[in-house]
Amino acid sequence: MMAAERTFIAIKPDGVQRGLVGEILGRFERKGFKLVALKQLTPTRELAEKHYGVHRERPFFEGLVAFITSGPVVAMVWEGDGVIASARKLIGATKPLDAEPGTIRGDLAVNIGRNVIHGSDGCETAAFEIGLWFNSTELNNWQPSDYVWRVES
Ligand code: UDP
Ligand code: MG
């Protein structure tokens, strides 16, 4: 079987501290994606700087790294056809006031610096971020019993 598409998702410290972990996990589960890895950790500065390396020159970088390392993050890998783009749709626009109602940020956030969740923005980013946050032994290769109902025929 071909390796299906995977994306890296992280509930940021605001999402964890506001008690939104279950709400957010539920949206990905109900959509029908498959959870292949899940852990809670407080990121080191090194991990946070690598994760947000593309934003190193941006004015918000220091604040972003300080925030993301300030407490526990729930890091996940979700799998499914089209999961990278679909997860970005479920998440909504970066600026929560521009995010559509029905999206995670549209429903649950108001502040761009506290927008609850991260999701990989493309194939290469997803591969990089999954490798950065997880060891291969933490990624579970499994087939849900309703697998045939999840794939387009
Ligand atoms: N961010 C911020 N101020 C900005 C732009 C971004 O604090 O003006 C933060 C915000 O938390 C965002 C993260 O930096 O989620 C990464 O920015 P990106 O443009 O990659 O947005 P995302 O991919 O998370 O939607
Ligand atoms: Mg991004």
Side-chain angles (χ1 to χ4, degrees):
M1 193 172 57
M2 278 262 295
E5 187 173 312
R6 290 178 170 178
T7 195
F8 173 74
I9 301 292
I11 304 173
K12 299 180 184 181
D14 53 333
V16 175
Q17 290 175 37
R18 290 175 56 205
L20 297 174
V21 173
E23 164 72 33
I24 292 168
L25 284 177
R27 292 181 180 218
F28 285 88
E29 277 192 318
R30 293 199 304 268
K31 177 71 175 167
F33 292 124
K34 181 170 81 176
L35 184 61
V36 300
L38 173 72
K39 65 182 174 185
Q40 187 182 58
L41 73 161
T42 301
T44 61
R45 184 168 186 94
E46 186 189 4
L47 174 58
E49 286 183 352
K50 282 185 183 158
H51 175 77
Y52 281 125
V54 292
H55 297 307
R56 193 172 291 275
E57 306 304 327
R58 309 281 290 279
F60 58 83
F61 180 74
E62 275 307 318
L64 180 58
V65 168
F67 176 60
I68 212 79
T69 57
S70 70
V73 163
V74 171
M76 299 167 265
V77 177
W78 289 88
E79 182 182 296
D81 290 338
V83 68
I84 298 172
S86 180
R88 295 281 295 189
K89 279 192 187 171
L90 291 174
I91 288 169
T94 304
K95 196 175 175 186
L97 293 180
D98 292 340
E100 294 296 329
T103 65
I104 292 165
R105 288 168 173 166
D107 289 347
L108 304 174
V110 291
N111 177 348
I112 192 169
R114 300 289 184 270
N115 61 6
V116 172
I117 183 166
H118 167 85
S120 307
D121 64 6
C123 280
E124 283 175 21
T125 328
F128 168 74
E129 292 173 353
I130 291 167
L132 180 64
W133 288 77
F134 288 96
N135 297 126
S136 58
T137 56
E138 295 175 304
L139 304 173
N140 298 275
N141 297 305
W142 65 292
Q143 186 157 307
S145 55
D146 65 346
Y147 177 75
V148 290
W149 299 338
R150 296 173 184 239
V151 289
E152 261 185 285
S153 49

